């Protein structure tokens, strides 16, 4: 069984500031981990994924995440926020394998202010 | 347009009615998933197909919910005797391997 906890349902940062969105997971098997972004009235878009290769994963739009097994974490970061980054972000986990259901966190809404 | 498509984009129905939601996956993707996203929540798994068969239907909330994928491509999620609590966005995803690609969803409103 897998589960995901996203700390902070809302995060607000200034444009140009560091973005840090937290994700902790629980998994009884080696996990694959994902971050998805959802813009208003749109579907989920994959930002990045960890599939047991490099622990530091780089994704689209300047985002990256680091898999830390000892901390069971997969936090999402971006050095400098942009207004277009305002959206809902979801962390998800699945068991390692080719096809398996995703278990999502409750999401973090990122607000970017001037 | 090679992405996952879902129809209709919006569906408004009355309590007790039957609805069908359609998903057209990316061509060649063998796995297809249905999720439900309630307001302010993350998507919750409903059912997953590998080819034509349901490999995991553990997320279906009750026997009012049923899904088919008769030819291993298009899938239909069917909800009988709809209830107001069924109101949500229903998301479909397809994959070939571990990465899932999501459609835009169908927003179901039960009055």
């Amino acid at each position: 069984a897998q589960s995901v906890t996203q700390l902070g349902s809302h995060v607000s940062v200034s444009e140009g500031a560091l973005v840090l969105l937290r994700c902790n997971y629980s998994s009884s098997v080696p996990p694959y981990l994902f971050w998805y972004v959802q813009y208003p009235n749109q579907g989920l878009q994959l930002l990045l994924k960890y599939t047991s290769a490099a622990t530091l994963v780089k994704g689209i739009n300047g985002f990256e995440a680091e898999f830390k097994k000892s901390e069971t974490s997969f936090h999402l970061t971006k050095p400098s926020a942009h207004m277009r980054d305002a959206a809902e972000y979801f962390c998800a986990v699945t068991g390692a394998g080719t096809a398996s259901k995703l278990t999502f966190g409750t999401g973090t809404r990122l607000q970017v202010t001037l | 347009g090679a992405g996952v498509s879902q129809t209709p984009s919006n569906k408004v129905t009355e309590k007790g009615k039957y609805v069908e939601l359609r998903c057209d996956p990316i061509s060649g993707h063998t796995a297809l998933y249905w999720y439900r996203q309630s307001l302010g929540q993350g998507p919750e798994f409903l059912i997953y197909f590998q080819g034509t068969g349901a490999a995991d239907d553990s997320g279906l909330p009750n026997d009012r919910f049923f899904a088919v994928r008769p030819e291993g491509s298009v899938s239909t999620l069917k909800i009988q005797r709809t209830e107001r609590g069924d109101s949500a966005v229903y998301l479909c995803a397809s994959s070939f391997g571990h990465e899932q690609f999501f459609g835009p969803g169908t927003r179901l409103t039960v009055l």
Side-chain angles (χ1 to χ4, degrees), chain A residues 2 25 27 29-34 49-53 67 74 92-99 102, chain B residues 97-99:
Chain A
Q2 290 92 29
Y25 71 91
S27 179
V29 298
Y32 285 172
L33 292 153
F34 304 81
K49 60 186 177 185
Y50 165 77
T51 54
S52 71
F67 172 70
F74 190 58
V93 65
T94 187
T98 57
L102 289 170
Chain B
H98 53 259
E99 183 173 337

Side-chain angles (χ1 to χ4, degrees), chain A residues 32 34 36 38 41 43-44 46 49 51 90 97-102 104-106, chain B residues 33 35 37 40-43 45 48 50 56 58 91 97-100 102-104:
Chain A
Y32 285 172
F34 304 81
Y36 283 86
Q38 188 174 38
N41 298 316
L44 293 164
L46 182 67
K49 60 186 177 185
T51 54
F90 292 95
T98 57
S100 186
K101 66 184 180 186
L102 289 170
F104 286 85
T106 52
Chain B
Y33 306 79
Y35 295 85
Q37 186 175 18
Q41 300 295 317
F45 169 76
Y48 141 56
Q50 186 65 257
D56 183 355
S58 61
L91 297 168
H98 53 259
E99 183 173 337
Q100 295 184 25
F102 283 80

